[in-house]
Amino acid sequence: LCSKYHVAHFINTHTPLRNAYNLYSAMKNAFTELTQYYVVEKNINFVNLTIEYIYGEKDDNTKFVPFLIESIIKGKQFKATSGEQQRDFIYVQDVVKAYMNVISNIKKIKGYKEFSIGTGKTISLKALSHKIENIIGRKSLVQWGSIPYKKTEIFLSKADISKAQKELKW
């Protein structure tokens, strides 16, 4: 459709998850592979933003951070892995700024460009839980280590933000 309607630039939101993690990540990864054909053959400029784990206002509790906060506030008990997974959590407004920087620089972007968007820092899920507990002033009822890790578990997800800092001034 970009080719048909003469769209010169396409900005994609991508996942840091590997192909084997689930069908969603497999499809997202396949899409970015397919777009590279259109970049070359149809002269479409494609920006792929790989966004780490977003949190912020109006998030629903199907995501880890709001689920954890709600569980601590309401005193809900839940089972979890050992919580050693390291995640790069990024505030939603910082993600918005990244998109705005891409839009501001869109005329300079040619071909296929990929940028990682995150903080460049990680925290374990268990350590994040302890930080939130300290802020709220209440202990969580997380049963750490009560369920096994998935075969496809990702233990480290961290953005390398150097390219976004350099090329997008973000």
Side-chain angles (χ1 to χ4, degrees):
L1 288 173
C2 287
S3 180
K4 181 179 178 180
Y5 293 105
H6 309 289
V7 173
H9 300 275
F10 189 95
I11 302 169
N12 183 54
T13 303
H14 194 52
T15 178
L17 300 175
R18 298 182 311 256
N19 284 343
Y21 189 75
N22 58 29
L23 183 59
Y24 170 80
S25 61
M27 295 300 288
K28 293 289 278 183
N29 284 290
F31 176 73
T32 58
E33 288 295 316
L34 290 170
T35 58
Q36 293 181 46
Y37 161 80
Y38 289 95
V39 168
V40 172
E41 293 297 321
K42 304 294 182 179
N43 203 29
I44 296 169
N45 300 301
F46 187 86
V47 179
N48 194 41
L49 296 179
T50 300
I51 312 293
E52 287 294 330
Y53 295 81
I54 304 171
Y55 70 93
E57 297 83 8
K58 299 186 182 180
D59 232 347
D60 65 71
N61 68 357
T62 61
K63 294 175 72 180
F64 183 73
V65 173
F67 172 78
L68 181 61
I69 292 169
E70 181 181 288
S71 296
I72 294 170
I73 290 170
K74 293 183 176 180
K76 290 183 182 177
Q77 186 174 335
F78 68 92
K79 295 180 179 190
T81 66
S82 295
E84 297 167 347
Q85 306 94 314
Q86 297 282 320
R87 298 290 182 264
D88 184 339
F89 290 99
I90 182 164
Y91 182 57
V92 66
Q93 290 302 323
D94 294 327
V95 174
V96 170
K97 288 176 188 171
Y99 278 93
M100 297 306 292
N101 282 27
V102 168
I103 291 166
S104 296
N105 289 286
I106 201 74
K107 299 288 185 198
K108 299 176 199 167
I109 297 172
K110 302 294 180 205
Y112 181 90
K113 288 282 186 170
E114 200 163 320
F115 299 99
S116 293
I117 304 300
T119 63
K121 300 173 190 160
T122 62
I123 186 169
S124 73
L125 300 184
K126 195 172 195 176
L128 177 66
S129 176
H130 294 317
K131 274 191 175 224
I132 294 170
E133 288 172 5
N134 289 335
I135 292 168
I136 293 173
R138 183 182 222 167
K139 284 295 222 183
S140 74
L141 300 177
V142 181
Q143 296 176 337
W144 296 108
S146 61
I147 60 174
Y149 290 111
K150 297 177 185 176
K151 286 190 284 185
T152 56
E153 191 67 56
I154 297 169
F155 285 92
L156 177 64
S157 188
K158 177 182 171 185
D160 176 355
I161 59 173
S162 58
K163 187 175 175 183
Q165 288 174 319
K166 182 181 176 185
E167 294 183 33
L168 299 175
K169 309 294 184 246
W170 177 79

